[in-house]
Short mmCIF file of all heavy atoms in Angstrom, two decimals:
data_model
loop_
_atom_site.label_atom_id
_atom_site.label_comp_id
_atom_site.label_asym_id
_atom_site.label_seq_id
_atom_site.Cartn_x
_atom_site.Cartn_y
_atom_site.Cartn_z
N GLY A 1 35.47 63.69 -47.19
CA GLY A 1 35.07 65.05 -47.19
C GLY A 1 33.60 65.28 -47.42
O GLY A 1 33.08 66.33 -47.12
N GLU A 2 32.90 64.31 -48.00
CA GLU A 2 31.48 64.48 -48.31
C GLU A 2 30.64 64.70 -47.06
O GLU A 2 29.72 65.50 -47.05
CB GLU A 2 30.97 63.25 -49.08
CG GLU A 2 29.56 63.39 -49.59
CD GLU A 2 29.39 64.44 -50.67
OE1 GLU A 2 30.36 64.73 -51.41
OE2 GLU A 2 28.28 64.99 -50.79
N MET A 3 30.98 64.01 -45.99
CA MET A 3 30.23 64.13 -44.74
C MET A 3 30.29 65.55 -44.20
O MET A 3 29.30 66.08 -43.69
CB MET A 3 30.75 63.16 -43.69
CG MET A 3 29.96 63.22 -42.40
SD MET A 3 30.59 62.17 -41.10
CE MET A 3 30.18 60.58 -41.76
N ALA A 4 31.44 66.18 -44.31
CA ALA A 4 31.61 67.53 -43.77
C ALA A 4 30.70 68.54 -44.47
O ALA A 4 30.38 69.57 -43.89
CB ALA A 4 33.07 67.96 -43.90
N LYS A 5 30.26 68.23 -45.66
CA LYS A 5 29.35 69.12 -46.38
C LYS A 5 27.94 69.08 -45.77
O LYS A 5 27.17 70.01 -45.95
CB LYS A 5 29.26 68.72 -47.85
CG LYS A 5 30.54 68.91 -48.62
CD LYS A 5 30.35 68.42 -50.05
CE LYS A 5 31.67 68.44 -50.80
NZ LYS A 5 31.51 67.89 -52.16
N HIS A 6 27.62 67.98 -45.09
CA HIS A 6 26.25 67.77 -44.62
C HIS A 6 26.10 67.84 -43.10
O HIS A 6 25.00 68.07 -42.61
CB HIS A 6 25.73 66.43 -45.11
CG HIS A 6 25.73 66.31 -46.60
ND1 HIS A 6 24.81 66.95 -47.40
CD2 HIS A 6 26.56 65.65 -47.43
CE1 HIS A 6 25.07 66.66 -48.67
NE2 HIS A 6 26.13 65.89 -48.71
N PHE A 7 27.19 67.57 -42.36
CA PHE A 7 27.09 67.49 -40.91
C PHE A 7 28.20 68.28 -40.24
O PHE A 7 29.35 68.19 -40.62
CB PHE A 7 27.20 66.02 -40.44
CG PHE A 7 26.14 65.14 -41.00
CD1 PHE A 7 26.42 64.30 -42.07
CD2 PHE A 7 24.87 65.12 -40.46
CE1 PHE A 7 25.45 63.48 -42.60
CE2 PHE A 7 23.89 64.29 -40.97
CZ PHE A 7 24.18 63.47 -42.05
N ASN A 8 27.82 69.05 -39.20
CA ASN A 8 28.80 69.76 -38.39
C ASN A 8 29.17 68.97 -37.14
O ASN A 8 30.26 69.11 -36.60
CB ASN A 8 28.25 71.12 -37.94
CG ASN A 8 28.01 72.04 -39.11
OD1 ASN A 8 28.67 71.96 -40.12
ND2 ASN A 8 27.04 72.92 -38.96
N HIS A 9 28.23 68.15 -36.68
CA HIS A 9 28.40 67.37 -35.46
C HIS A 9 27.91 65.94 -35.73
O HIS A 9 26.87 65.76 -36.35
CB HIS A 9 27.57 67.94 -34.30
CG HIS A 9 27.87 69.36 -33.99
ND1 HIS A 9 27.28 70.41 -34.63
CD2 HIS A 9 28.74 69.89 -33.11
CE1 HIS A 9 27.75 71.53 -34.15
NE2 HIS A 9 28.64 71.25 -33.23
N VAL A 10 28.65 64.97 -35.24
CA VAL A 10 28.24 63.57 -35.38
C VAL A 10 28.55 62.79 -34.11
O VAL A 10 29.38 63.21 -33.30
CB VAL A 10 28.96 62.86 -36.57
CG1 VAL A 10 28.60 63.52 -37.89
CG2 VAL A 10 30.47 62.83 -36.38
N PHE A 11 27.87 61.67 -33.94
CA PHE A 11 28.17 60.73 -32.88
C PHE A 11 28.78 59.50 -33.54
O PHE A 11 28.29 59.02 -34.56
CB PHE A 11 26.90 60.30 -32.14
CG PHE A 11 26.29 61.39 -31.32
CD1 PHE A 11 25.19 62.09 -31.79
CD2 PHE A 11 26.82 61.74 -30.09
CE1 PHE A 11 24.62 63.10 -31.05
CE2 PHE A 11 26.25 62.74 -29.34
CZ PHE A 11 25.16 63.43 -29.81
N ILE A 12 29.85 59.01 -32.96
CA ILE A 12 30.49 57.78 -33.43
C ILE A 12 30.20 56.73 -32.37
O ILE A 12 30.58 56.88 -31.21
CB ILE A 12 32.02 57.99 -33.56
CG1 ILE A 12 32.32 59.09 -34.57
CG2 ILE A 12 32.69 56.69 -33.95
CD1 ILE A 12 33.79 59.48 -34.60
N ILE A 13 29.51 55.67 -32.78
CA ILE A 13 29.11 54.63 -31.83
C ILE A 13 29.81 53.32 -32.20
O ILE A 13 29.55 52.75 -33.26
CB ILE A 13 27.58 54.43 -31.84
CG1 ILE A 13 26.89 55.77 -31.53
CG2 ILE A 13 27.18 53.35 -30.84
CD1 ILE A 13 25.39 55.73 -31.68
N PHE A 14 30.69 52.89 -31.33
CA PHE A 14 31.42 51.64 -31.50
C PHE A 14 31.28 50.82 -30.23
O PHE A 14 30.96 51.35 -29.16
CB PHE A 14 32.91 51.91 -31.75
CG PHE A 14 33.25 52.25 -33.18
CD1 PHE A 14 33.00 53.50 -33.69
CD2 PHE A 14 33.86 51.32 -34.00
CE1 PHE A 14 33.33 53.83 -35.00
CE2 PHE A 14 34.20 51.63 -35.31
CZ PHE A 14 33.93 52.88 -35.82
N ASP A 15 31.56 49.53 -30.35
CA ASP A 15 31.51 48.68 -29.16
C ASP A 15 32.72 48.93 -28.27
O ASP A 15 33.59 49.73 -28.59
CB ASP A 15 31.37 47.20 -29.52
CG ASP A 15 32.55 46.67 -30.32
OD1 ASP A 15 33.70 46.91 -29.92
OD2 ASP A 15 32.31 45.99 -31.34
N ASP A 16 32.76 48.24 -27.14
CA ASP A 16 33.78 48.52 -26.14
C ASP A 16 35.08 47.73 -26.31
O ASP A 16 35.97 47.80 -25.46
CB ASP A 16 33.23 48.30 -24.72
CG ASP A 16 32.69 46.89 -24.51
OD1 ASP A 16 32.60 46.13 -25.49
OD2 ASP A 16 32.34 46.56 -23.37
N GLU A 17 35.23 47.02 -27.42
CA GLU A 17 36.47 46.28 -27.65
C GLU A 17 37.60 47.26 -28.00
O GLU A 17 37.38 48.30 -28.62
CB GLU A 17 36.29 45.27 -28.78
CG GLU A 17 35.35 44.14 -28.42
CD GLU A 17 35.20 43.13 -29.53
OE1 GLU A 17 35.90 43.24 -30.55
OE2 GLU A 17 34.36 42.23 -29.37
N GLU A 18 38.80 46.90 -27.62
CA GLU A 18 39.96 47.77 -27.79
C GLU A 18 40.16 48.17 -29.26
O GLU A 18 40.41 49.34 -29.57
CB GLU A 18 41.21 47.07 -27.27
CG GLU A 18 42.44 47.96 -27.25
CD GLU A 18 43.63 47.27 -26.61
OE1 GLU A 18 43.45 46.43 -25.70
OE2 GLU A 18 44.76 47.59 -27.03
N GLN A 19 40.06 47.20 -30.17
CA GLN A 19 40.25 47.49 -31.60
C GLN A 19 39.18 48.47 -32.12
O GLN A 19 39.48 49.38 -32.87
CB GLN A 19 40.23 46.21 -32.41
CG GLN A 19 40.53 46.41 -33.88
CD GLN A 19 40.51 45.11 -34.65
OE1 GLN A 19 39.90 44.13 -34.24
NE2 GLN A 19 41.20 45.08 -35.77
N ALA A 20 37.95 48.26 -31.69
CA ALA A 20 36.86 49.15 -32.11
C ALA A 20 37.10 50.56 -31.59
O ALA A 20 36.86 51.55 -32.30
CB ALA A 20 35.52 48.62 -31.63
N GLN A 21 37.56 50.68 -30.35
CA GLN A 21 37.82 52.00 -29.78
C GLN A 21 38.96 52.71 -30.51
O GLN A 21 38.93 53.93 -30.70
CB GLN A 21 38.09 51.88 -28.29
CG GLN A 21 36.85 51.55 -27.50
CD GLN A 21 35.74 52.56 -27.73
OE1 GLN A 21 35.93 53.75 -27.51
NE2 GLN A 21 34.61 52.10 -28.21
N ALA A 22 39.96 51.96 -30.95
CA ALA A 22 41.06 52.55 -31.72
C ALA A 22 40.53 53.08 -33.04
O ALA A 22 40.92 54.18 -33.49
CB ALA A 22 42.16 51.53 -31.95
N ARG A 23 39.62 52.35 -33.67
CA ARG A 23 39.01 52.81 -34.93
C ARG A 23 38.17 54.05 -34.71
O ARG A 23 38.18 54.99 -35.53
CB ARG A 23 38.17 51.70 -35.55
CG ARG A 23 38.96 50.60 -36.14
CD ARG A 23 38.06 49.63 -36.86
NE ARG A 23 38.73 48.38 -37.07
CZ ARG A 23 38.11 47.23 -37.23
NH1 ARG A 23 36.79 47.18 -37.19
NH2 ARG A 23 38.78 46.13 -37.40
N ALA A 24 37.41 54.06 -33.61
CA ALA A 24 36.58 55.22 -33.30
C ALA A 24 37.44 56.46 -33.09
O ALA A 24 37.10 57.55 -33.56
CB ALA A 24 35.74 54.94 -32.05
N GLU A 25 38.56 56.29 -32.40
CA GLU A 25 39.46 57.41 -32.17
C GLU A 25 40.04 57.92 -33.48
O GLU A 25 40.11 59.14 -33.71
CB GLU A 25 40.58 57.00 -31.22
CG GLU A 25 41.48 58.15 -30.82
CD GLU A 25 42.49 57.74 -29.76
OE1 GLU A 25 42.34 56.69 -29.12
OE2 GLU A 25 43.45 58.50 -29.58
N SER A 26 40.44 57.01 -34.36
CA SER A 26 40.98 57.41 -35.67
C SER A 26 39.94 58.15 -36.49
O SER A 26 40.25 59.15 -37.13
CB SER A 26 41.47 56.17 -36.44
OG SER A 26 42.57 55.60 -35.81
N LEU A 27 38.71 57.64 -36.47
CA LEU A 27 37.64 58.29 -37.23
C LEU A 27 37.35 59.68 -36.68
O LEU A 27 37.19 60.64 -37.45
CB LEU A 27 36.38 57.43 -37.19
CG LEU A 27 35.16 58.00 -37.90
CD1 LEU A 27 35.45 58.30 -39.38
CD2 LEU A 27 33.98 57.04 -37.77
N ALA A 28 37.31 59.82 -35.37
CA ALA A 28 37.07 61.13 -34.75
C ALA A 28 38.17 62.12 -35.15
O ALA A 28 37.89 63.28 -35.46
CB ALA A 28 36.98 61.00 -33.24
N PHE A 29 39.42 61.65 -35.14
CA PHE A 29 40.54 62.50 -35.52
C PHE A 29 40.42 62.93 -36.98
O PHE A 29 40.61 64.10 -37.33
CB PHE A 29 41.86 61.76 -35.28
CG PHE A 29 43.08 62.58 -35.56
CD1 PHE A 29 43.51 63.54 -34.67
CD2 PHE A 29 43.80 62.38 -36.73
CE1 PHE A 29 44.63 64.31 -34.93
CE2 PHE A 29 44.92 63.14 -37.01
CZ PHE A 29 45.34 64.10 -36.11
N TYR A 30 40.09 61.98 -37.85
CA TYR A 30 39.91 62.28 -39.28
C TYR A 30 38.80 63.31 -39.48
O TYR A 30 38.97 64.28 -40.22
CB TYR A 30 39.60 60.99 -40.02
CG TYR A 30 39.20 61.20 -41.47
CD1 TYR A 30 40.16 61.49 -42.43
CD2 TYR A 30 37.87 61.12 -41.86
CE1 TYR A 30 39.79 61.69 -43.75
CE2 TYR A 30 37.50 61.32 -43.16
CZ TYR A 30 38.46 61.61 -44.11
OH TYR A 30 38.08 61.82 -45.42
N LEU A 31 37.67 63.10 -38.83
CA LEU A 31 36.55 64.02 -38.99
C LEU A 31 36.88 65.41 -38.46
O LEU A 31 36.47 66.42 -39.04
CB LEU A 31 35.31 63.46 -38.30
CG LEU A 31 34.71 62.21 -38.94
CD1 LEU A 31 33.61 61.65 -38.05
CD2 LEU A 31 34.19 62.53 -40.32
N ALA A 32 37.63 65.47 -37.37
CA ALA A 32 38.04 66.77 -36.83
C ALA A 32 38.85 67.54 -37.85
O ALA A 32 38.71 68.77 -37.97
CB ALA A 32 38.84 66.58 -35.54
N GLY A 33 39.67 66.85 -38.63
CA GLY A 33 40.45 67.49 -39.69
C GLY A 33 39.57 68.06 -40.79
O GLY A 33 40.00 68.95 -41.52
N LEU A 34 38.34 67.53 -40.89
CA LEU A 34 37.39 68.04 -41.89
C LEU A 34 36.46 69.11 -41.31
O LEU A 34 35.57 69.59 -42.00
CB LEU A 34 36.54 66.89 -42.44
CG LEU A 34 37.29 65.78 -43.17
CD1 LEU A 34 36.33 64.67 -43.55
CD2 LEU A 34 38.00 66.32 -44.40
N GLY A 35 36.67 69.43 -40.04
CA GLY A 35 35.83 70.43 -39.40
C GLY A 35 34.55 69.89 -38.81
O GLY A 35 33.64 70.65 -38.49
N VAL A 36 34.47 68.57 -38.64
CA VAL A 36 33.28 67.94 -38.07
C VAL A 36 33.57 67.59 -36.62
O VAL A 36 34.54 66.91 -36.32
CB VAL A 36 32.90 66.65 -38.85
CG1 VAL A 36 31.70 65.98 -38.22
CG2 VAL A 36 32.64 66.97 -40.32
N ARG A 37 32.72 68.06 -35.71
CA ARG A 37 32.87 67.73 -34.29
C ARG A 37 32.26 66.35 -34.07
O ARG A 37 31.10 66.13 -34.38
CB ARG A 37 32.18 68.75 -33.42
CG ARG A 37 32.88 70.11 -33.47
CD ARG A 37 32.21 71.13 -32.60
NE ARG A 37 32.23 70.69 -31.21
CZ ARG A 37 31.48 71.23 -30.26
NH1 ARG A 37 30.65 72.21 -30.55
NH2 ARG A 37 31.55 70.79 -29.03
N ALA A 38 33.06 65.45 -33.52
CA ALA A 38 32.61 64.07 -33.31
C ALA A 38 32.65 63.72 -31.84
O ALA A 38 33.64 63.96 -31.17
CB ALA A 38 33.48 63.11 -34.10
N LYS A 39 31.58 63.15 -31.36
CA LYS A 39 31.50 62.67 -29.98
C LYS A 39 31.48 61.15 -30.02
O LYS A 39 30.65 60.55 -30.68
CB LYS A 39 30.22 63.20 -29.33
CG LYS A 39 29.93 62.65 -27.97
CD LYS A 39 30.76 63.30 -26.93
CE LYS A 39 30.31 62.83 -25.56
NZ LYS A 39 31.12 63.30 -24.50
N ARG A 40 32.46 60.55 -29.36
CA ARG A 40 32.55 59.08 -29.33
C ARG A 40 31.64 58.52 -28.24
O ARG A 40 31.66 58.98 -27.11
CB ARG A 40 33.98 58.65 -29.09
CG ARG A 40 34.87 58.90 -30.27
CD ARG A 40 36.32 58.57 -30.04
NE ARG A 40 36.54 57.40 -29.20
CZ ARG A 40 37.61 57.25 -28.45
NH1 ARG A 40 38.54 58.19 -28.41
NH2 ARG A 40 37.76 56.16 -27.72
N ILE A 41 30.86 57.53 -28.60
CA ILE A 41 29.97 56.84 -27.68
C ILE A 41 30.37 55.38 -27.69
O ILE A 41 30.51 54.76 -28.74
CB ILE A 41 28.49 56.97 -28.12
CG1 ILE A 41 28.10 58.44 -28.31
CG2 ILE A 41 27.57 56.23 -27.16
CD1 ILE A 41 28.14 59.28 -27.06
N THR A 42 30.56 54.82 -26.51
CA THR A 42 30.92 53.42 -26.38
C THR A 42 29.76 52.65 -25.77
O THR A 42 29.18 53.10 -24.78
CB THR A 42 32.15 53.26 -25.47
OG1 THR A 42 33.22 54.04 -25.99
CG2 THR A 42 32.58 51.81 -25.38
N ILE A 43 29.41 51.54 -26.39
CA ILE A 43 28.36 50.70 -25.82
C ILE A 43 28.89 49.28 -25.65
O ILE A 43 29.86 48.89 -26.30
CB ILE A 43 27.07 50.69 -26.67
CG1 ILE A 43 27.32 50.03 -28.02
CG2 ILE A 43 26.52 52.08 -26.84
CD1 ILE A 43 26.04 49.74 -28.77
N LYS A 44 28.28 48.55 -24.78
CA LYS A 44 28.65 47.15 -24.58
C LYS A 44 27.98 46.33 -25.67
O LYS A 44 26.79 46.47 -25.91
CB LYS A 44 28.20 46.68 -23.20
CG LYS A 44 28.75 45.35 -22.81
CD LYS A 44 28.57 45.14 -21.32
CE LYS A 44 29.22 43.84 -20.88
NZ LYS A 44 30.66 43.96 -20.73
N GLY A 45 28.75 45.51 -26.35
CA GLY A 45 28.21 44.69 -27.42
C GLY A 45 28.29 45.41 -28.76
O GLY A 45 28.70 46.56 -28.85
N ASP A 46 27.89 44.72 -29.79
CA ASP A 46 27.94 45.23 -31.16
C ASP A 46 26.75 46.15 -31.43
O ASP A 46 25.60 45.71 -31.32
CB ASP A 46 27.92 44.05 -32.13
CG ASP A 46 28.08 44.47 -33.58
OD1 ASP A 46 27.95 45.66 -33.90
OD2 ASP A 46 28.35 43.57 -34.40
N PRO A 47 27.00 47.43 -31.78
CA PRO A 47 25.88 48.35 -32.05
C PRO A 47 24.96 47.83 -33.16
O PRO A 47 23.76 48.10 -33.14
CB PRO A 47 26.56 49.65 -32.46
CG PRO A 47 27.95 49.56 -31.95
CD PRO A 47 28.28 48.10 -31.90
N GLY A 48 25.52 47.09 -34.11
CA GLY A 48 24.72 46.57 -35.22
C GLY A 48 23.73 45.50 -34.79
O GLY A 48 22.81 45.17 -35.53
N GLU A 49 23.91 44.96 -33.60
CA GLU A 49 23.02 43.91 -33.09
C GLU A 49 21.99 44.45 -32.11
O GLU A 49 21.22 43.67 -31.55
CB GLU A 49 23.85 42.80 -32.44
CG GLU A 49 24.73 42.07 -33.43
CD GLU A 49 25.58 41.00 -32.79
OE1 GLU A 49 25.50 40.79 -31.56
OE2 GLU A 49 26.36 40.36 -33.53
N MET A 50 21.95 45.77 -31.94
CA MET A 50 20.97 46.36 -31.02
C MET A 50 19.56 46.15 -31.56
O MET A 50 19.33 46.22 -32.77
CB MET A 50 21.19 47.86 -30.88
CG MET A 50 22.40 48.26 -30.09
SD MET A 50 22.53 50.07 -29.96
CE MET A 50 21.37 50.38 -28.64
N HIS A 51 18.62 45.91 -30.66
CA HIS A 51 17.22 45.86 -31.05
C HIS A 51 16.81 47.27 -31.50
O HIS A 51 17.30 48.26 -30.96
CB HIS A 51 16.37 45.41 -29.84
CG HIS A 51 14.95 45.15 -30.20
ND1 HIS A 51 14.02 46.16 -30.23
CD2 HIS A 51 14.31 44.01 -30.55
CE1 HIS A 51 12.85 45.65 -30.60
NE2 HIS A 51 13.00 44.35 -30.78
N GLN A 52 15.94 47.38 -32.46
CA GLN A 52 15.56 48.68 -33.01
C GLN A 52 15.03 49.61 -31.93
O GLN A 52 15.34 50.80 -31.93
CB GLN A 52 14.54 48.52 -34.13
CG GLN A 52 14.24 49.83 -34.85
CD GLN A 52 15.45 50.41 -35.55
OE1 GLN A 52 16.12 49.72 -36.31
NE2 GLN A 52 15.78 51.66 -35.28
N ASN A 53 14.24 49.10 -30.99
CA ASN A 53 13.71 49.96 -29.92
C ASN A 53 14.82 50.53 -29.06
O ASN A 53 14.77 51.68 -28.65
CB ASN A 53 12.71 49.19 -29.06
CG ASN A 53 11.42 48.90 -29.79
OD1 ASN A 53 11.07 49.55 -30.77
ND2 ASN A 53 10.70 47.89 -29.33
N ASP A 54 15.84 49.71 -28.78
CA ASP A 54 16.98 50.18 -27.99
C ASP A 54 17.78 51.22 -28.76
O ASP A 54 18.24 52.22 -28.20
CB ASP A 54 17.90 49.02 -27.61
CG ASP A 54 17.22 48.04 -26.66
OD1 ASP A 54 16.31 48.47 -25.91
OD2 ASP A 54 17.60 46.85 -26.67
N ALA A 55 17.94 50.99 -30.07
CA ALA A 55 18.66 51.95 -30.91
C ALA A 55 17.91 53.29 -30.96
O ALA A 55 18.52 54.35 -30.86
CB ALA A 55 18.85 51.40 -32.31
N ASN A 56 16.61 53.22 -31.09
CA ASN A 56 15.80 54.45 -31.12
C ASN A 56 15.92 55.22 -29.80
O ASN A 56 16.05 56.44 -29.80
CB ASN A 56 14.34 54.13 -31.40
CG ASN A 56 14.10 53.62 -32.80
OD1 ASN A 56 14.96 53.74 -33.68
ND2 ASN A 56 12.94 53.02 -33.02
N ALA A 57 15.89 54.49 -28.69
CA ALA A 57 16.02 55.14 -27.37
C ALA A 57 17.41 55.77 -27.23
O ALA A 57 17.53 56.87 -26.71
CB ALA A 57 15.77 54.13 -26.27
N LEU A 58 18.44 55.09 -27.70
CA LEU A 58 19.80 55.64 -27.65
C LEU A 58 19.89 56.93 -28.46
O LEU A 58 20.43 57.93 -28.01
CB LEU A 58 20.82 54.61 -28.16
CG LEU A 58 22.26 55.09 -28.27
CD1 LEU A 58 22.80 55.50 -26.90
CD2 LEU A 58 23.11 54.02 -28.91
N ILE A 59 19.32 56.91 -29.65
CA ILE A 59 19.36 58.12 -30.50
C ILE A 59 18.63 59.27 -29.84
O ILE A 59 19.12 60.39 -29.81
CB ILE A 59 18.77 57.80 -31.89
CG1 ILE A 59 19.71 56.88 -32.65
CG2 ILE A 59 18.53 59.09 -32.69
CD1 ILE A 59 19.12 56.29 -33.91
N ARG A 60 17.46 59.00 -29.27
CA ARG A 60 16.71 60.06 -28.57
C ARG A 60 17.54 60.64 -27.44
O ARG A 60 17.60 61.86 -27.26
CB ARG A 60 15.37 59.54 -28.05
CG ARG A 60 14.30 59.42 -29.11
CD ARG A 60 12.93 59.16 -28.51
NE ARG A 60 12.88 57.95 -27.71
CZ ARG A 60 12.63 56.73 -28.19
NH1 ARG A 60 12.41 56.57 -29.48
NH2 ARG A 60 12.59 55.69 -27.38
N ASP A 61 18.21 59.76 -26.68
CA ASP A 61 19.05 60.22 -25.58
C ASP A 61 20.22 61.05 -26.08
O ASP A 61 20.54 62.10 -25.52
CB ASP A 61 19.55 59.01 -24.78
CG ASP A 61 20.43 59.42 -23.62
OD1 ASP A 61 19.96 60.24 -22.78
OD2 ASP A 61 21.56 58.94 -23.53
N LEU A 62 20.87 60.59 -27.14
CA LEU A 62 22.02 61.31 -27.67
C LEU A 62 21.65 62.69 -28.20
O LEU A 62 22.42 63.65 -28.04
CB LEU A 62 22.70 60.50 -28.78
CG LEU A 62 23.37 59.21 -28.34
CD1 LEU A 62 23.89 58.45 -29.55
CD2 LEU A 62 24.50 59.50 -27.36
N LEU A 63 20.49 62.80 -28.80
CA LEU A 63 20.09 64.08 -29.36
C LEU A 63 19.79 65.13 -28.28
O LEU A 63 19.74 66.32 -28.56
CB LEU A 63 18.88 63.90 -30.29
CG LEU A 63 19.19 63.13 -31.57
CD1 LEU A 63 17.92 62.91 -32.37
CD2 LEU A 63 20.23 63.85 -32.41
N LYS A 64 19.60 64.69 -27.05
CA LYS A 64 19.37 65.60 -25.93
C LYS A 64 20.66 66.14 -25.36
O LYS A 64 20.67 67.12 -24.65
CB LYS A 64 18.60 64.89 -24.82
CG LYS A 64 17.20 64.49 -25.19
CD LYS A 64 16.56 63.72 -24.06
CE LYS A 64 15.21 63.19 -24.46
NZ LYS A 64 14.63 62.35 -23.40
N ARG A 65 21.78 65.47 -25.66
CA ARG A 65 23.09 65.82 -25.09
C ARG A 65 23.78 66.89 -25.92
O ARG A 65 23.69 66.90 -27.14
CB ARG A 65 24.01 64.61 -25.06
CG ARG A 65 23.56 63.49 -24.23
CD ARG A 65 24.60 62.40 -24.28
NE ARG A 65 24.13 61.18 -23.65
CZ ARG A 65 24.90 60.11 -23.50
NH1 ARG A 65 26.14 60.11 -23.93
NH2 ARG A 65 24.40 59.05 -22.92
N PRO A 66 24.53 67.75 -25.24
CA PRO A 66 25.39 68.67 -26.00
C PRO A 66 26.57 67.87 -26.58
O PRO A 66 27.03 66.91 -25.97
CB PRO A 66 25.89 69.67 -24.95
CG PRO A 66 25.72 68.95 -23.65
CD PRO A 66 24.60 67.96 -23.81
N ILE A 67 27.01 68.28 -27.74
CA ILE A 67 28.15 67.57 -28.35
C ILE A 67 29.43 68.34 -28.14
O ILE A 67 29.45 69.53 -28.00
CB ILE A 67 27.91 67.28 -29.84
CG1 ILE A 67 29.01 66.40 -30.38
CG2 ILE A 67 27.78 68.51 -30.65
CD1 ILE A 67 28.67 65.71 -31.66
#
């Protein structure tokens, strides 16, 4: 519930593996119950292994999109 106090909209970024996508879906459903609009983003590979420049470019791109 703490997140809902600070954010109305969030992006959930998980890799394209089936298990990760199931977790992303569960998280989005949970957040929706708290009144947080969540947009799921799928990328190839582990998001934690992205180069910082690529991560920054992804964030800039996401912030331009409607949620």
